[in-house]
Amino acid sequence: MELAIIVAVVVVALAFDYTNGFHDAANAIATSVSTRALTPRVALAMAAVMNFVGGFLGQKVAKTVSDTITPPSGSAGLVVVMAGLAGAICWNLVTWYFGLPSSSSHALIGGLAGAALAAGASVNWNTVVDKVLVPMLVSPVVAFGLAFAVMVAIMWLFRRAHPTKAQRGFRLAQTVSAAAMALGHGLQDAQKTMGVIFLALLTGNYVSSDDPLPVWVVIAAATAISLGTLSGGWRIMRTLGRRIIDLDPARGFAAESVAAGVLYTTAYAFEAPISTTHTITSAVMGVGATKRLSAVRWGVARSILVAWVLTFPMAAGVAAAAYAVLHLFLG
């Protein structure tokens, strides 16, 4: 019975990873597609490949995710993990349906915390606050400020350049910045699923806390998120690429470069599972504000902010309800 539950948890975790891929595909390529630097099919294929590669570049974020809760060992703990995943998947699907670029990362952490609280299990609040909530608040502010500064610097450096030639050059440069963004997404988000699978194996006593991630876990998670990315997330892509602001290639390049830099820094330096969605959305707003503040459609931004605020508690609530149902059948 316990082995069957572990297999089910792994399958559900990979399903979450797949939804993460198509939910967050827009993060890497929306700006490049909207500026016509890349065609949608080419952009999706490139993002899928870079997501897969990014999944192999580190394990620090996975360790942080696996440390967020301490479920009981055995089947009771596995039910907690499965319920947390159910909450995250449900919120991903809801926000995808409405085209809102919310955070899959915070949906996952919120789901795990909600399921743990419903089960009376321990939530490691120090890890959640230091590695999740604080970066959740700081990373969008940093991305907005850096993107604004980088775009101001670009406008000053290329102030005498021919506009058409300059934009053509930035359109080519966006191929590199979009690839860097997709690589950062794989580095961050594929590891989150790896962390959940590792947590399930740890709960089932198949690994110890000091063991490295099994190779099959890395391959499976990297594959699932890349396949999800390949399936696309067109609803959210329209929001990021068009509805917030009409981007030009220079601003698209600046936003992607800054967002990628923030993703790498937080993954390697702080081991923090930050939201790629929050990061790129804030960077897009930052570069847009260099035109004029009114160029950013703040009404759309307000809707996105509401989704950000609701993500953690809503995913937690759905996960708690999922635990109540699963507990009846699986104990």
Side-chain angles (χ1 to χ4, degrees):
M1 181 66 176
E2 188 172 295
L3 179 60
I5 297 176
I6 284 183
V7 171
V9 169
V10 171
V11 170
V12 174
L14 294 176
F16 164 78
D17 206 18
Y18 183 86
T19 66
N20 191 345
F22 77 71
H23 187 278
D24 290 2
N27 293 344
I29 65 172
T31 53
S32 299
V33 171
S34 67
T35 61
R36 296 181 177 83
L38 296 170
T39 64
R41 291 186 183 278
V42 170
L44 282 174
M46 180 202 68
V49 171
M50 299 307 287
N51 273 189
F52 183 82
V53 174
F56 290 85
L57 296 183
Q59 298 184 0
K60 293 181 178 181
V61 172
K63 180 68 167 60
T64 297
V65 171
S66 67
D67 287 343
T68 53
I69 64 171
T70 306
S73 61
S75 59
L78 292 170
V79 172
V80 172
V81 178
M82 184 179 290
L85 287 165
I89 291 173
C90 287
W91 186 246
N92 268 357
L93 293 176
V94 168
T95 51
W96 165 80
Y97 179 81
F98 289 104
L100 294 174
S102 69
S103 169
S104 297
S105 308
H106 299 146
L108 176 59
I109 303 298
L112 291 174
L117 291 174
S122 173
V123 178
N124 301 322
W125 290 112
N126 286 338
T127 299
V128 172
V129 172
D130 295 342
K131 296 294 183 71
V132 180
L133 295 182
V134 171
M136 178 180 74
L137 298 174
V138 173
S139 58
V141 176
V142 171
F144 183 96
L146 284 178
F148 184 91
V150 168
M151 192 59 220
V152 168
I154 287 174
M155 290 190 298
W156 187 83
L157 290 171
F158 291 89
R159 64 191 184 281
R160 294 189 178 88
H162 190 280
T164 303
K165 290 182 179 179
Q167 294 295 358
R168 188 183 303 125
F170 280 113
R171 190 172 283 116
L172 292 174
Q174 268 198 279
T175 304
V176 177
S177 61
M181 181 67 202
L183 190 69
H185 179 244
L187 170 67
Q188 277 277 349
D189 285 41
Q191 283 193 63
K192 292 157 192 171
T193 299
M194 297 175 202
V196 174
I197 295 176
F198 186 81
L199 178 62
L201 296 175
L202 185 63
T203 303
N205 298 312
Y206 283 88
V207 296
S208 67
S209 58
D210 297 328
D211 288 343
L213 283 171
V215 175
W216 69 266
V217 173
V218 178
I219 294 174
T223 301
I225 197 169
S226 62
L227 290 175
T229 300
L230 195 60
S231 68
W234 303 107
R235 292 174 184 265
I236 297 173
M237 203 173 299
R238 282 192 290 270
T239 299
L240 268 181
R242 294 289 183 187
R243 291 180 61 200
I244 296 176
I245 186 173
D246 292 321
L247 288 172
D248 55 52
R251 285 178 170 80
F253 169 79
E256 289 168 341
S257 300
V258 167
V262 172
L263 292 176
Y264 298 146
T265 302
T266 51
Y268 287 118
F270 301 106
E271 304 176 16
I274 69 163
S275 168
T276 55
T277 307
H278 291 192
T279 305
I280 186 61
T281 305
S282 300
V284 168
M285 292 179 186
V287 298
T290 59
K291 285 185 175 181
R292 59 188 184 282
L293 287 178
S294 61
V296 179
R297 299 182 180 98
W298 296 106
V300 176
R302 192 182 308 114
S303 299
I304 294 170
L305 181 61
V306 169
W308 288 3
V309 172
L310 289 178
T311 292
F312 202 96
M314 290 298 291
V318 175
Y323 174 80
V325 174
L326 290 171
H327 185 65
L328 293 176
F329 295 97
L330 300 177

